[in-house]
Amino acid sequence: MPETARASSLGGKPLSPARIATSSMIGTMVEIFDFIVYAFMAALVFAPLFFPAVSPWIGTLAALGTHAVAFGMRPLGALLFGWIGDTRGRRVALLGSMVLMGVATVAIGALPTFATAGLWAPVLLVVFRMLQGLAVGGEWGGAVLVAVEHAPKRRRSLYGSFVQLGTVLGIGVASAVILLVNTAVSAHTFQAWAWRVPFLASALLVVLGVVLRKRLEETPEFVAELAAHEAETGARPKVRTVFRDDWRALIAGSLMWSAPCSFLYVLMTGLVAYTKAYVPGLSSTDVQLGLLVTSVVLAGLTVFFAVRADSWGRERLVLWSGALLIVWAFPAFRLIDTGGFGPMLIAMLVGSVCYAAFNGAVPSLMADLFPVASRYTGCGLCIAFGTAVAGGIVPIGGLALAGEFGGSSVPLSLTLVLCGVLTVAGVGMSRRRPAMAGHPTARHSRTV
């Protein structure tokens, strides 16, 4: 049996739903910090350190390819930790993903480079990046469920959005740390050893995350569902039922993730590689500063949309996020191609409205797409499949085509348009029963 709810805060009293949601937010922030630091470093320094035998642009694509490998591991992570979360408990799955992410990230920070270890260096880089992908694949679904399944009925969207705030904060903290290290040392020193600092420093954040997650309670919905399921069948739930009974929800939810993932990995972190190669007026410091400012705005907008998600309609907000990205894709890169910091910041900030609208609506929406017994696996697979395509394959393809066309941003704009269309299509597939919204006790109802 899983761990039952237990006293877990100072004074022996259970944590409030708001504090549980905050704890989930901080845990997600730590994992996303680790994941995004790699994305930045792949664009900044990994090409000469791990792929020195090829041209700089091909080396950058190879380094970003190792970044994309993690997205291929995310579905496996969602399956592994989803199985744990749906059969053993949300809390133990989240602890496992946090520890695995911490070990992989610190190991990357300690890796020898190609000059020292030869081919073993990129091989080990890929291995540890795969472990990062496995870990982050088990993160989002569990963090959302801990927040949503503890939340009061009328605040499920608000508390669920705390996890998306953790994603935004993880990006902001990663940007701030790299910006600080990058400006504190020379370019030579940064490439020689200072790039390791964010990876090694993440060990402190992981310890914080583990401490917070050990204090979490198991969610009442999961405890009740597992007890009822075992009473009816004499066995634990089977994870494979999510493919048999909830395949339509899996497709719809995965498609919905396309627009926000492409915004995050093309119009935010992907700009480090694009501007470094083709927009000489913008430095990596400019992009990191823009990311930091955008992250702050994103946090506020996410709360704004979360508060209004239930009254405006969660599917409607997700639809708006996809439509806005379609409209903004070409103007955004026109602004970026000017080479000015101000225009680039406008491109990011307007695009952030798309991401924030999605952030405010998607956590509780994804939770309600699946019954409790398969919810961890279903939610995890939706984001894993969505990010594998829109966060891994699509950005690399767009950047490769940009290189083929002499640095043109048109392929990148087209990738954003495509992903916006996929999100709109996902909303079109979603046909949740109105009675299910906010009623997690409907254990075996289908929501799509």
Side-chain angles (χ1 to χ4, degrees):
M1 291 293 291
E3 297 179 52
T4 57
R6 60 188 179 89
S8 51
S9 63
L10 295 176
K13 297 180 180 179
L15 295 173
S16 68
R19 291 184 68 183
I20 290 171
T22 302
S23 178
S24 292
M25 176 187 72
I26 294 172
T28 300
M29 180 198 74
V30 173
E31 290 218 33
I32 294 301
F33 170 88
D34 290 351
F35 198 71
I36 293 297
V37 161
Y38 187 102
F40 287 148
M41 294 305 179
L44 290 174
V45 297
F46 280 179
L49 293 177
F50 293 94
F51 304 95
V54 296
S55 68
W57 178 242
I58 297 300
T60 298
L61 289 178
L64 291 173
T66 67
H67 165 60
V69 162
F71 292 98
M73 295 297 295
R74 288 181 74 153
L76 295 178
L79 282 173
L80 171 62
F81 290 103
W83 170 72
I84 297 171
D86 283 330
T87 60
R88 306 291 171 180
R90 293 20 176 156
R91 178 176 172 272
V92 66
L94 284 172
L95 275 170
S97 70
M98 175 68 71
V99 171
L100 180 60
M101 176 63 84
V103 170
T105 302
V106 172
I108 291 171
L111 271 182
T113 63
F114 188 91
T116 303
L119 287 175
W120 278 108
V123 168
L124 290 173
L125 183 68
V126 170
V127 168
F128 289 124
R129 183 56 174 172
M130 290 172 69
L131 292 179
Q132 279 193 321
L134 196 70
V136 83
E139 164 61 27
W140 190 87
V144 161
L145 297 188
V146 166
V148 170
E149 291 180 354
H150 276 103
K153 176 181 172 181
R154 296 181 181 276
R155 295 190 174 183
R156 286 164 70 87
S157 293
L158 177 60
Y159 287 176
S161 72
F162 279 38
V163 177
Q164 291 300 90
L165 276 176
T167 300
V168 172
L169 291 174
I171 298 168
V173 173
S175 302
V177 170
I178 294 175
L179 183 64
L180 178 64
V181 175
N182 208 359
T183 54
V185 299
S186 66
H188 178 267
T189 301
F190 185 82
Q191 184 165 312
W193 61 266
W195 65 271
R196 301 179 185 273
V197 173
F199 290 102
L200 299 176
S202 73
L204 299 176
L205 294 177
V206 169
V207 170
L208 171 64
V210 169
V211 169
L212 288 172
R213 286 192 167 167
K214 288 188 70 173
R215 300 175 66 201
L216 287 175
E217 300 166 330
E218 192 53 79
T219 72
E221 286 181 39
F222 172 75
V223 173
E225 165 64 26
L226 187 61
H229 187 93
E230 290 185 336
E232 291 176 10
T233 66
R236 292 179 181 271
K238 299 290 192 258
V239 172
R240 64 175 177 268
T241 60
V242 76
F243 297 101
R244 183 191 66 200
D245 299 330
D246 300 301
W247 61 269
R248 190 184 182 93
L250 279 176
I251 296 173
S254 299
L255 289 175
M256 286 183 203
W257 278 97
S258 300
C261 288
S262 64
F263 165 77
L264 177 60
Y265 291 105
V266 174
L267 198 51
M268 289 187 72
T269 58
L271 286 186
V272 176
Y274 174 71
T275 57
K276 180 181 177 182
Y278 297 116
V279 188
L282 290 170
S283 66
S284 61
T285 300
D286 291 329
V287 177
Q288 289 154 13
L289 182 59
L291 285 168
L292 183 58
V293 173
T294 303
S295 297
V296 173
V297 174
L298 260 174
L301 287 174
T302 294
V303 175
F304 172 81
F305 283 115
V307 169
R308 288 158 177 78
D310 291 322
S311 59
W312 288 2
R314 295 175 299 178
E315 293 95 335
R316 182 177 298 172
L317 285 180
V318 175
L319 182 66
W320 288 353
S321 74
L324 176 59
L325 193 67
I326 294 170
V327 172
W328 190 238
F330 279 92
F333 273 98
R334 286 289 182 90
L335 290 169
I336 292 165
D337 287 340
T338 65
F341 176 80
M344 180 201 69
L345 185 60
I346 292 172
M348 287 183 172
L349 290 175
V350 174
S352 72
V353 178
C354 149
Y355 194 42
F358 183 86
N359 281 351
V362 76
S364 62
L365 174 59
M366 288 290 154
D368 283 344
L369 283 176
F370 300 93
V372 177
S374 60
R375 189 175 280 169
Y376 198 127
T377 305
C379 289
L381 285 173
C382 282
I383 185 173
F385 289 143
T387 53
V389 175
I393 298 172
V394 169
I396 295 297
L399 284 168
L401 288 173
E404 287 294 318
F405 288 93
S408 171
S409 62
V410 171
L412 294 171
S413 295
L414 287 174
T415 63
L416 295 180
V417 171
L418 171 63
C419 290
V421 170
L422 292 177
T423 290
V424 171
V427 176
M429 283 190 66
S430 176
R431 290 177 174 84
R432 295 184 309 110
R433 295 177 183 176
M436 275 298 294
H439 292 280
T441 55
R443 293 172 47 232
H444 302 296
S445 298
R446 291 291 167 254
T447 60
V448 172

